[in-house]
Amino acid sequence: MKRLTPQLNWFLTQLRPLLRVHLFSVLLIVIASLTFLLDPLILKWLIDTVLPKRDARLLMVAVACIAGVYIAN
């Protein structure tokens, strides 16, 4: 087994207390990226399904989903 260099060992000891914060920030970045992917899918559903049916209730759901995506970002 290879031993760690002193610099890497020092870096890991410095990183250990902040590891949760770094992982949480990566998780938030992934969630923000996924919300950007949701917006076009909601618009596609709106155009393909909701508007041809002329359903006002589904239109309000679509508007709320789009607003939720923009508020989340």
Side-chain angles (χ1 to χ4, degrees):
M1 186 161 115
K2 215 173 191 184
R3 292 191 65 184
L4 297 176
T5 64
Q7 293 87 3
L8 185 60
N9 193 15
W10 173 85
F11 177 71
L12 292 176
T13 57
Q14 296 294 316
L15 182 68
R16 188 167 291 133
L18 300 173
L19 187 60
R20 259 191 246 171
V21 176
H22 285 295
L23 291 176
F24 185 66
S25 67
V26 169
L27 176 69
L28 290 179
I29 291 169
V30 169
I31 290 171
S33 300
L34 290 175
T35 58
F36 278 114
L37 293 175
L38 282 177
D39 187 36
L41 291 174
I42 294 169
L43 287 176
K44 179 190 178 307
W45 174 68
L46 175 70
I47 292 169
D48 292 344
T49 305
V50 176
L51 292 179
K53 286 184 180 180
R54 297 178 185 254
D55 189 354
R57 194 172 348 142
L58 286 179
L59 180 63
M60 290 302 126
V61 170
V63 168
C65 288
I66 291 172
V69 166
Y70 282 115
I71 289 171
N73 288 327

